[in-house]
Amino acid sequence: MSRRVVRQSKFRHVFGQAAKADQSYEDIRVSKTGRVDKNYPLVTGHTAPVLDIDWCPHNDNVIASASDDTTVMVWQVPDYTPVRNITEPIITLEGHSKRVGILSWHPTARNVLLSAGGDNVIIIWNVGTGEVLLSLDDMHPDVIHSVCWNSNGSLLATTCKDKTLRIIDPRKGQVVAERFAAHEGMRPMRAVFTRQGHIFTTGFTRMSQRELGLWDPNNFEEPVALQEMDTSNGVLLPFYDPDSSIVYLCGKGDSSIRYFEITDEPPFVHYLNTFSSKEPQRGMGFMPKRGLDVSKCEIARFYKLHERKCEPIIMTVPRKSDLFQDDLYPDTPGPEPALEADEWLSGQDAEPVLISLRDGYVPPKHRELRVTKRNILDVRPPSGPRRSQSASDAPLSQHTLETLLDEIKALREQVQAQEQRITALENMLCELVDGTD
């Protein structure tokens, strides 16, 4: 008798679970669990729909947004809840002639942001100065569907409506490798780098079946792996975790998340499991590894966008021990950049600065963006002695004054609410005492 050999993997039993209702974001207007007051403040500034957002990997209070109005805006989101809408971005980046649909921060260099627009142009910005570092305007003859940095930000993988998968060296302005029709269908492709330097892609066959592929950019002639999936119409969005080498596939309009482990062993892309729910997803967000709960062996967390709410989906590896699981949590990229923008532009490369999650992630002290003529984001202090600046030396901008006033008002309202609660409790106590008499 032949006996089937089961592939060994610590991720074979990963399972997904939707968060409880009180941990979802109902009537979403801002990031606040539970049902949210419709009058809660918003971040508003674009004059047309927002098409993409991306949190800065090196500052948890900074988010970039791209819009149909052709602009990119960078925002400072305070730790406290503001009392009115945030309408003034820290900086507005103007360079595209058509809608901007893709944003991606550089993984290791401070203040470097990529944008791709309907003008078929990729612009790489120094957000700290508002300057264009690089403009790649003659590489894509049609609409760009996706852009992804590799781990150290030296290369880009792009997919385009012309059905070509390209590997680009942005500083040289060169396409270093390309593959036409990695997926033969006409529907959009997506591509992400793996930690081994391979390219994982999703697309469609000529018969409109959804398909996934794994490619070696040093040999684009034949795929490392190619698997047909199903006949659904939704584009498969890949979310790749380099720490576990698991890729999660979330289809637009699907009600499930399928996940696979990528290894060096055939067939190279191994199916693990599927998380299924009743309602389809309109979009999906992915929490950085340092935001996960390591005490519960959480290895991934998604934010599933419904029509009127955002629902967290938690991926967990079952373990009996309460101890820290070293094999599940290798050191992971932290918030400290490895390079400055000008160092990267000059040709330097560096891998992400890693941190341990053994004691849980402790976020760094809040860093406010300081508006200056030259650099509006934090930069590393220059070497050598310098005169310390007192509070009286530093002029307060109108933006900073409004921020302080908002925070004072918010704190006063919180104090007032606490005082009202104390009064109510004291009245209840008095009624109980009177009742016992």
Side-chain angles (χ1 to χ4, degrees):
M1 293 178 61
S2 63
R3 187 170 60 180
R4 183 185 175 193
V5 178
V6 178
R7 188 181 69 90
Q8 294 297 314
S9 171
K10 55 180 172 260
F11 301 114
R12 278 181 53 219
H13 302 293
V14 172
F15 72 96
Q17 185 174 14
K20 295 180 180 179
D22 61 353
Q23 290 300 309
S24 294
Y25 304 81
E26 304 273 356
D27 287 340
I28 48 171
R29 303 288 289 252
V30 294
S31 296
K32 186 175 185 296
T33 57
R35 190 168 296 278
V36 177
D37 190 321
K38 290 180 172 56
N39 295 320
Y40 254 84
L42 310 174
V43 177
T44 61
H46 290 288
T47 58
V50 174
L51 304 179
D52 196 16
I53 56 174
D54 197 25
W55 287 99
C56 177
H58 306 131
N59 190 327
D60 293 340
N61 294 88
V62 172
I63 188 170
S65 59
S67 171
D68 214 343
D69 66 10
T70 76
T71 69
V72 174
M73 294 184 177
V74 180
W75 308 85
Q76 173 88 39
V77 179
D79 288 327
Y80 64 91
T81 302
V83 296
R84 57 173 177 261
N85 288 350
I86 300 176
T87 58
E88 293 296 327
I90 297 302
I91 193 168
T92 300
L93 305 173
E94 297 176 298
H96 289 282
S97 60
K98 293 185 179 179
R99 61 190 296 181
V100 186
I102 297 173
L103 289 176
S104 183
W105 292 92
H106 193 283
T108 63
R110 191 194 308 266
N111 302 347
V112 176
L113 176 66
L114 176 151
S115 62
D119 49 9
N120 310 336
V121 174
I122 292 175
I123 299 178
I124 299 176
W125 309 84
N126 181 347
V127 175
T129 61
E131 298 171 319
V132 174
L133 296 178
L134 299 165
S135 183
L136 310 177
D137 53 8
D138 57 356
M139 297 186 177
H140 300 89
D142 214 325
V143 175
I144 301 167
H145 287 151
S146 70
V147 182
C148 177
W149 298 95
N150 66 346
S151 63
N152 66 4
S154 61
L155 296 173
L156 298 172
T158 70
T159 61
C160 180
K161 192 176 180 181
D162 70 351
K163 298 175 62 173
T164 301
L165 167 65
R166 294 175 174 86
I167 309 301
I168 297 173
D169 184 328
R171 289 170 296 192
K172 293 181 180 178
Q174 295 178 353
V175 176
V176 296
E178 62 182 0
R179 163 74 193 212
F180 177 71
H183 300 280
E184 295 183 346
M186 295 302 296
R187 302 293 309 283
M189 280 193 300
R190 296 290 187 271
V192 293
F193 276 100
T194 71
R195 70 183 182 192
Q196 295 90 354
H198 289 163
I199 310 296
F200 180 89
T201 60
T202 64
F204 292 80
T205 68
R206 191 176 300 170
M207 302 302 292
S208 297
Q209 283 191 302
R210 294 198 292 194
E211 191 175 47
L212 61 82
L214 186 66
W215 305 84
D216 181 353
N218 297 315
N219 180 16
F220 262 151
E221 292 300 318
E222 294 292 332
V224 177
L226 200 62
Q227 297 181 21
E228 291 185 1
M229 303 282 289
D230 53 33
T231 55
S232 180
N233 292 326
V235 175
L236 286 170
L237 306 178
F239 293 87
Y240 177 71
D241 173 20
D243 294 345
S244 63
S245 206
I246 293 178
V247 62
Y248 302 85
L249 301 184
C250 308
K252 289 185 178 179
D254 289 2
S255 56
S256 63
I257 302 172
R258 276 174 283 195
Y259 36 107
F260 300 77
E261 185 178 3
I262 300 175
T263 73
D264 295 328
E265 303 170 359
F268 306 106
V269 181
H270 306 269
Y271 171 76
L272 291 174
N273 210 336
T274 299
F275 166 80
S276 298
S277 59
K278 295 180 180 179
E279 298 182 52
Q281 53 230 16
R282 300 188 63 180
M284 197 71 75
F286 197 43
M287 171 67 79
K289 185 61 66 74
R290 64 179 187 268
L292 304 182
D293 189 343
V294 298
S295 68
K296 297 180 180 178
C297 295
E298 180 184 10
I299 64 166
R301 188 188 309 162
F302 291 90
Y303 289 87
K304 176 180 175 180
L305 184 62
H306 299 250
E307 186 172 351
R308 292 294 298 170
K309 72 174 182 179
C310 182
E311 177 186 40
I313 307 293
I314 298 166
M315 299 290 179
T316 306
V317 176
R319 291 285 171 92
K320 293 181 180 179
S321 173
D322 292 332
L323 299 176
F324 179 74
Q325 306 295 309
D326 298 81
D327 61 325
L328 297 183
Y329 301 105
D331 288 355
T332 195
E336 186 63 28
L339 296 170
E340 297 295 340
D342 55 352
E343 293 175 329
W344 176 78
L345 185 63
S346 69
Q348 295 186 45
D349 292 320
E351 294 297 323
V353 178
L354 304 181
I355 59 172
S356 171
L357 298 179
R358 174 173 291 277
D359 299 317
Y361 171 65
V362 179
K365 186 178 179 181
H366 173 82
R367 295 175 294 176
E368 184 177 352
L369 307 186
R370 298 177 181 176
V371 179
T372 65
K373 290 181 180 180
R374 186 57 200 150
N375 197 323
I376 60 172
L377 294 181
D378 288 340
V379 296
R380 294 173 181 169
S383 58
R386 68 173 183 176
R387 184 177 68 89
S388 60
Q389 187 181 47
S390 67
S392 60
D393 293 332
L396 290 176
S397 67
Q398 184 65 29
H399 177 79
T400 305
L401 287 171
E402 290 179 357
T403 300
L404 291 173
L405 290 171
D406 281 350
E407 185 168 6
I408 291 170
K409 184 176 180 180
L411 290 171
R412 282 177 174 167
E413 290 178 350
Q414 292 174 15
V415 170
Q416 185 178 7
Q418 292 295 330
E419 289 176 343
Q420 292 173 351
R421 178 64 175 160
I422 291 171
T423 301
L425 291 172
E426 288 175 339
N427 291 337
M428 291 173 61
L429 181 62
C430 290
E431 291 175 359
L432 289 172
V433 172
D434 292 341
T436 57
D437 293 344

